[in-house]
Amino acid sequence: MQLKSLLSLVLTGTLLFSCGNDKTKENKTDIKVEAPPFNYNADQFADVKVLRYQIPGWENLTLKEQKLVYYLTQAGLSGRDIMWDQNYRHNLKIRKALENVYTNYSGDKTTNDWRAFEIYLKRVWFSNGIHHHYSNDKIKPNFSADYLKQLLAETNTVLEGEAFEVIFNDVDSKKVNQAKGVDNVALSAVNFYGADVTNKDVETLYASKKSPDPKKPLSFGLNSQLVKENGVLKERVYKSGGLYGVAIDEIIKWLELAKGVAENEKQANAIGLLISYYKTGDLQTWDDYNVAWTAATEGNIDYINSFIEVYNDPLGYRGSYEAIVQIKDFDMSEKMKVVSNNAQWFEDNSPLMDAHKKKKVVGVTYKVVNVAGEAGDASPSTPIGVNLPNANWIRAAVGSKSVSLGNIVDASNHAGSTDRLKEFVNDQEEFELYETYGELAEKLHTALHEVVGHASGQLNPGVGETKETLKNYASTLEEGRADLVALYYLYNPKLQELGLVDDWKKTGMAAYDSYIRNGLMMQLIRLNLGDDVEEAHMRNRQWISAWVFEKGKKDNVIEKINRNGKTYFNINDYEKLYQLFGQLLRETQRIKSEGDYKAVQALVEGYGVKVDQAIHAGVLERNKQFTSAPYTGYVNPVLVPKTNKEGEIIEINVVLPETFVEQMLDYSKNYNFLPEVN
């Protein structure tokens, strides 16, 4: 391989030693020198560990391709502060004050109070705000208001009024409130809505909006903040000259440069439409962009950039800003493309009702990629797989792109340990099954979830988008439905027929063990005792696992075992569990296809929200012995361009940040494009 001194890779070099005469030169000795193993761990604090990841194959890209990656990552980072403000209206003000204290305080940094302040700041950085990135609860500082006042005074930092008080009081305690029977909009601190906007306001407004073509519904609300001015609802659109316009202009600047080095015409046209969308905020342009982006499948570089996922909106309308820049992993993409090539077979052979199956699955592509940079809602906490676009009509008519983030998964695998797994498996056989087949099973689950799961099924004619019909349950139902597609096919001989596994039964068994173990126990380490499950993905894992556990009780499909005061779950009949997953998949697709709100509410509230307190207490007690944090995030490699006298980029090197703190402060210094907005 080519030597890259700025990357901490395992390198091999050849050194030639000479004593100064011809004879010795003829007897040269080759000595291989191995560099230290790559250090994936960057930091750990509270419930978080921060890892580094590498960019395999960077040196194999052409300079033009490297420029494209660089420009796209700069575009992504330019919108970073948008995510902070979307998460909560005081986030930017609080972050800037805390950072000023951190960089200017010259007092005693050995006290417990200072350590607590430092950990609080790191947690706020990691969550892009003062609410936990996963639980949505407000992060509690382990220092007093008086201590913070002292720090502010000693560093000449101003933070006062509501922005100061909210750090310590119970106001705005939940970023996204998904509870049943409450006004979710009014009780969510997320900055998508004005203080006096309610659920009814949102539902009434968007029920009145009509798309020019009912068969191609526009994504109303996706790129705006909804407020009331003099009692009248008004959308503040995210666009150049509008809300977040200063940062969006920076995004546009870098996208223009990216368009100039695009790999092909389709890619350039798609970037051009994204630029137009940012300039106008027009939702028809957004759809036009998504159609063009979905069709632009050639090339080595791809990206995600804009207001996309709606998990942070309690009603599922408004998109959070995110950016991911990715490079195709050629070897793994070639091996895994068999999944997308057989998308129609998976659809035809699913347990869905015939009316809910797509007669023709179109445009499904799948790639394993290596991430080169992330920002916004995708960083520091990142997904491991993505399927876009989200519009159902585009998926049906044009197709979708699915990716697995290969180097992110690789970093996680290298940095983990099996100690916690050993504690929660029922027996040695289950542990060995995971050790042998678990990693492959997880990769296949991601692929099947993203490629087949999200692309499968169709709505009944005349049924509205799921955010309208299933409301605050739309996200967890969709994620659960995609999980169920993956689970249904993970225990299927078709995977072995396609050459994806050597033993489909054992791979499927490992996948089922892992899913049930996580859904009924291990994910509970992320919750405080007494908390309900609120995050969409956690909910779907629980309602799936709890439903099949209950429905299989008669046949003892999954056995709950109490041994030495500890709880375990053991799968006794994998075949019947496979059938139960199929039954639940059929029902979840029916719910989505028909827009059955009562059924989804009963499913999620009945199985996915409340936690068995005895099991939860036991899980937390058993987990105390482990030092590894339950949440993982990443620092991004830094792309450093080198220019000639004319200012032209002649090479781009990859530098890995030493610490999480270093990167966060660097981002705040170099990508601080938003004034404090409210």
Side-chain angles (χ1 to χ4, degrees):
M1 66 169 67
Q2 182 179 348
L3 180 67
K4 296 283 286 185
S5 61
L6 295 174
L7 279 174
S8 299
L9 299 169
V10 178
L11 306 170
T12 3
T14 303
L15 302 180
L16 305 184
F17 290 84
S18 169
C19 292
N21 59 65
D22 293 340
K23 183 176 180 181
T24 309
K25 289 180 182 178
E26 290 172 359
N27 294 323
K28 61 181 181 277
T29 303
D30 289 359
I31 300 176
K32 292 185 177 180
V33 179
E34 288 192 358
F38 180 79
N39 182 12
Y40 289 94
N41 296 294
D43 203 347
Q44 180 164 318
F45 48 88
D47 57 356
V48 165
K49 59 182 175 183
V50 182
L51 305 180
R52 301 179 184 88
Y53 64 89
Q54 303 173 86
I55 311 178
W58 174 259
E59 65 275 9
N60 297 326
L61 297 179
T62 66
L63 179 59
K64 183 181 178 183
E65 289 171 330
Q66 290 183 349
K67 286 181 181 179
L68 177 59
V69 173
Y70 172 68
Y71 295 147
L72 289 170
T73 56
Q74 294 303 300
L77 289 167
S78 295
R80 171 181 182 253
D81 278 4
I82 295 175
M83 185 71 248
W84 279 77
D85 191 72
Q86 285 183 314
N87 276 340
Y88 185 57
R89 64 187 181 278
H90 292 309
N91 272 339
L92 288 174
K93 186 179 293 184
I94 291 170
R95 189 192 79 197
K96 290 173 183 177
L98 297 182
E99 288 176 344
N100 194 63
V101 168
Y102 185 83
T103 55
N104 291 289
Y105 180 63
S106 58
D108 188 353
K109 296 183 179 181
T110 64
T111 67
N112 290 335
D113 278 339
W114 177 259
R115 292 191 188 98
F117 171 81
E118 189 173 30
I119 289 172
Y120 179 75
L121 175 55
K122 288 181 179 182
R123 296 185 73 189
V124 170
W125 276 330
F126 190 88
S127 295
N128 294 317
I130 66 170
H131 296 87
H132 193 279
H133 74 286
Y134 213 80
S135 73
N136 289 312
D137 292 327
K138 193 161 61 173
I139 300 169
K140 295 179 180 179
N142 290 321
F143 53 87
S144 68
D146 286 341
Y147 180 69
L148 181 56
K149 287 178 181 178
Q150 173 194 329
L151 295 178
L152 294 171
E154 292 185 23
T155 55
N156 296 314
T157 305
V158 177
L159 183 66
E160 54 193 8
E162 188 178 86
F164 176 90
E165 293 163 2
V166 76
I167 295 174
F168 301 98
N169 63 26
D170 294 328
V171 175
D172 294 331
S173 61
K174 181 78 69 172
K175 184 176 77 173
V176 184
N177 190 318
Q178 293 280 18
K180 177 185 176 183
V182 302
D183 194 312
N184 306 100
V185 168
L187 293 179
S188 295
V190 68
N191 197 24
F192 287 144
Y193 298 100
D196 49 357
V197 177
T198 65
N199 279 21
K200 186 177 180 181
D201 289 329
V202 180
E203 292 165 359
T204 302
L205 174 66
Y206 293 116
S208 69
K209 288 183 176 289
K210 304 299 179 186
S211 299
D213 184 349
K215 294 181 179 179
K216 299 179 179 180
L218 298 176
S219 300
F220 292 122
L222 184 70
N223 65 334
S224 66
Q225 181 191 59
L226 186 63
V227 299
K228 278 184 179 177
E229 292 186 359
N230 299 318
V232 178
L233 290 169
K234 177 184 177 182
E235 289 184 311
R236 302 175 70 198
V237 179
Y238 313 147
K239 64 175 183 176
S240 177
L243 187 57
Y244 305 139
V246 177
I248 288 172
D249 286 342
E250 283 292 322
I251 297 171
I252 290 171
K253 178 186 79 175
W254 290 105
L255 288 177
E256 293 278 14
L257 291 169
K259 182 183 176 185
V261 291
E263 296 176 277
N264 52 64
E265 185 177 357
K266 285 187 176 181
Q267 189 181 69
N269 289 341
I271 295 173
L273 284 167
L274 180 58
I275 292 169
S276 296
Y277 169 62
Y278 272 130
K279 287 180 176 179
T280 64
D282 180 68
L283 291 172
Q284 182 58 61
T285 304
W286 172 245
D287 279 355
D288 293 342
Y289 160 70
N290 276 285
V291 169
W293 176 82
T294 302
T297 57
E298 299 299 320
N300 301 329
I301 315 300
D302 211 344
Y303 63 95
I304 294 163
N305 184 301
S306 198
F307 311 102
I308 300 172
E309 301 293 0
V310 296
Y311 302 116
N312 285 321
D313 183 345
L315 296 187
Y317 283 91
R318 304 187 135 69
S320 297
Y321 175 81
E322 71 171 300
I324 303 175
V325 183
Q326 60 213 32
I327 303 165
K328 183 177 179 180
D329 182 327
F330 299 98
D331 291 339
M332 283 303 299
S333 294
E334 185 65 25
K335 291 176 184 176
M336 298 297 287
K337 74 176 183 180
V338 66
V339 177
S340 54
N341 288 348
N342 284 271
Q344 190 66 58
W345 184 92
F346 288 116
E347 184 77 354
D348 293 343
N349 289 274
S350 74
L352 309 184
M353 300 177 191
D354 287 342
H356 300 157
K357 294 181 181 180
K358 288 179 179 174
K359 302 301 180 285
K360 186 178 181 181
V361 179
V362 298
V364 176
T365 64
Y366 175 62
K367 294 177 181 177
V368 179
V369 300
N370 291 315
V371 172
E374 299 178 309
D377 202 30
S379 180
S381 179
T382 171
I384 59 172
V386 181
N387 174 272
L388 292 172
N390 285 326
N392 284 301
W393 76 262
I394 298 178
R395 291 178 186 271
V398 183
S400 62
K401 286 180 179 178
S402 297
V403 295
S404 293
L405 310 186
N407 57 338
I408 296 294
V409 174
D410 181 69
S412 179
N413 288 337
H414 278 87
S417 72
T418 59
D419 290 343
R420 186 180 279 118
L421 176 66
K422 290 177 182 177
E423 172 62 38
F424 288 98
V425 294
N426 180 52
D427 51 33
Q428 184 65 20
E429 180 183 358
E430 184 180 332
F431 176 76
E432 290 175 358
L433 199 63
Y434 181 86
E435 281 283 273
T436 305
Y437 299 98
E439 189 173 321
L440 175 59
E442 289 176 355
K443 288 180 179 179
L444 286 172
H445 183 107
T446 301
L448 292 166
H449 174 108
E450 300 295 349
V451 184
V452 183
H454 284 307
S456 72
Q458 62 184 5
L459 301 179
N460 287 359
V463 173
E465 292 292 295
T466 53
K467 65 186 177 186
E468 299 163 357
T469 59
L470 305 184
K471 302 178 182 179
N472 52 312
Y473 300 109
S475 292
T476 190
L477 190 282
E478 177 58 22
E479 292 305 320
R481 192 184 66 85
D483 264 1
L484 284 163
V485 171
L487 290 165
Y488 186 74
Y489 284 115
L490 277 164
Y491 192 76
N492 193 299
K494 185 68 174 180
L495 297 187
Q496 193 160 336
E497 178 188 322
L498 295 175
L500 292 168
V501 299
D502 293 327
D503 189 323
W504 67 269
K505 274 198 172 183
K506 289 184 178 179
T507 304
M509 289 166 67
Y512 283 13
D513 288 341
S514 182
Y515 199 88
I516 296 301
R517 186 172 58 245
N518 192 24
L520 294 180
M521 284 197 303
M522 289 187 70
Q523 71 171 4
L524 298 179
I525 66 174
R526 296 179 166 187
L527 298 179
N528 296 317
L529 188 63
D531 286 354
D532 288 343
V533 181
E534 296 202 40
E535 198 277 332
H537 298 80
M538 285 186 70
R539 278 188 170 187
N540 86 244
R541 286 190 288 268
Q542 178 166 299
W543 60 252
I544 289 173
S545 301
W547 189 94
V548 295
F549 174 67
E550 181 182 283
K551 300 302 180 184
K553 276 185 177 179
K554 179 182 176 182
D555 297 319
N556 201 27
V557 176
I558 303 171
E559 183 179 3
K560 181 181 176 182
I561 297 171
N562 291 299
R563 186 171 61 245
N564 299 325
K566 298 179 180 180
T567 300
Y568 304 89
F569 289 92
N570 187 64
I571 300 172
N572 292 319
D573 195 326
Y574 291 91
E575 181 64 34
K576 287 185 178 178
L577 181 54
Y578 162 77
Q579 294 169 8
L580 287 170
F581 283 140
Q583 292 170 26
L584 186 54
L585 171 57
R586 182 182 178 93
E587 172 62 6
T588 56
Q589 183 60 57
R590 183 200 67 77
I591 290 171
K592 179 180 179 180
S593 296
E594 297 178 3
D596 190 340
Y597 179 79
K598 288 184 178 180
V600 72
Q601 184 181 61
L603 178 63
V604 176
E605 295 292 341
Y607 295 96
V609 176
K610 297 300 179 182
V611 177
D612 184 309
Q613 294 302 298
I615 290 178
H616 193 185
V619 167
L620 294 177
E621 182 62 32
R622 293 159 72 180
N623 189 61
K624 286 180 180 178
Q625 63 188 294
F626 305 113
T627 57
S628 178
Y631 297 102
T632 303
Y634 300 83
V635 287
N636 293 304
V638 181
L639 304 182
V640 181
K642 181 179 179 181
T643 58
N644 59 20
K645 293 179 180 179
E646 289 73 35
E648 300 168 330
I649 295 176
I650 56 174
E651 66 178 87
I652 300 175
N653 293 311
V654 179
V655 179
L656 293 167
E658 288 294 323
T659 67
F660 177 60
V661 171
E662 171 195 319
Q663 181 149 96
M664 293 299 98
L665 291 175
D666 178 73
Y667 282 174
S668 293
K669 177 182 177 182
N670 294 312
Y671 304 101
N672 178 25
F673 296 119
L674 277 188
E676 292 165 8
V677 289
N678 290 295

